[in-house]
Amino acid sequence: MKVDDAVPNEFSYPGLGEIFITNTRKFINKVLSWGRANSLWPLTFGTSCCAIEMMVYGATKVDADRLGNLFIGDSPRQADMIFVSGTITKKMARRLLTVYQQMPAPKYVVAVGACNISGGLFWDSYNVIDGIDRIMPVDVYIPGCPPRPEQFLDAVKVLQKLINENKTRGGVYGPREI
Amino acid sequence: MDLERFRERFGDKVKIDKNILTLADKKDLIRVVKFVSKYFDVLYMLIVVHRPPKFELNYIFSRYQDQEIIQIKVEISDKENIASISNIFKSAEWEEREAYDMFGIVFRDHPDLRRILLPEDWPGHPMRKDFVVTEEIKHWTGLDLKF
């Protein structure tokens, strides 16, 4: 979508330009990324043991909700980010990509565990994708086999920082900017 | 014990050692399995071993009443095909699909012989001895991606 036509570069009202020091474009970007960073609804894509740690992350002890990371609807249509947790086989890669393509545009990918980073234990297997960055752009990696639930918390903090600085890879559309 | 019945029925076509029946000819398989199905009611598993240039197929049957186990061993050349037993033991259908997936053994008269674990367009059969995991196969995704 080309927003350049829809949103003018300056407000026409007198006086408002003095309130916002930065220009409107920058301001709106900041508001948007603030909103996006603080309401990251994850899509849980668990295929093996990393998913167990992801459940602990969503539970009360390591509380995901306080970062706005709500485990609510497990639907790709409502998700902002995806936790790919577990080994991705070559057959599963197509399903993962289908799910990923169903997500709305500013979407972020967190690769959880050694299998998703490099293939991990199955690095020379004939049937395992060696690193999901071969099939989709990844923003944050969580190392470990499986990682601790606190590392998920850290990853989401890092992702929020990346969104605020507008440095995410943002899916197939490139960095999201108005 | 049922093994005596096998000896009476099939004579020297099967070689009996404890509870392992080795078939001399693969054409006898259907007849033997039909006979087995009178006394045994579950196919535990189908184990395939590749000893080039031969495949060794081990059908393991059991029954619920006393957990007796019987094993039927057939050897075929790795270019031959073999009759499916899925119309006698229904659970053989998936076992044979897996054997086809991993070893490329073609089962005649199988109702639905497709791959079961690997993607449909996957190149090769990975459990064969002559299969080598090359870089190309390791990086194969089957996806046409540009990003």
Side-chain angles (χ1 to χ4, degrees), chain A residues 17-30:
Chain A
E18 294 149 27
I19 299 173
F20 306 132
I21 304 162
T22 56
N23 62 31
T24 40
R25 188 184 273 210
K26 260 187 180 169
F27 175 73
I28 291 173
N29 265 334
K30 214 155 227 173

Side-chain angles (χ1 to χ4, degrees), chain B residues 1-38:
Chain B
M1 182 59 200
D2 301 303
L3 291 175
E4 289 308 315
R5 295 203 192 96
F6 280 100
R7 200 164 280 141
E8 287 167 24
R9 177 77 191 267
F10 296 107
D12 55 350
K13 280 178 184 168
V14 293
K15 207 177 82 202
I16 300 174
D17 174 28
K18 286 180 187 169
N19 58 353
I20 302 173
L21 277 72
T22 312
L23 299 194
D25 191 2
K26 63 165 186 167
K27 282 171 191 155
D28 294 328
L29 179 72
I30 293 287
R31 279 205 311 134
V32 173
V33 170
K34 262 192 185 138
F35 191 71
V36 164
S37 71
K38 284 181 193 167

Side-chain angles (χ1 to χ4, degrees), chain A residues 58-69:
Chain A
T60 42
K61 196 176 177 187
V62 186
D63 198 1
D65 291 9
R66 63 200 154 116
L67 297 182
N69 205 0

Side-chain angles (χ1 to χ4, degrees), chain B residues 1-6 10 18-21 32-45 59-72 85 88-91:
Chain B
M1 182 59 200
D2 301 303
L3 291 175
E4 289 308 315
R5 295 203 192 96
F6 280 100
F10 296 107
K18 286 180 187 169
N19 58 353
I20 302 173
L21 277 72
V32 173
V33 170
K34 262 192 185 138
F35 191 71
V36 164
S37 71
K38 284 181 193 167
Y39 306 102
F40 293 86
D41 45 19
V42 52
L43 171 69
Y44 260 10
M45 56 186 118
Y59 297 83
I60 299 176
F61 301 95
S62 181
R63 58 185 172 200
Y64 290 114
Q65 39 186 324
D66 53 1
Q67 277 98 48
E68 197 75 54
I69 280 178
I70 196 166
Q71 180 177 348
I72 295 180
I85 61 160
I88 305 166
F89 285 94
K90 198 71 182 159
S91 65

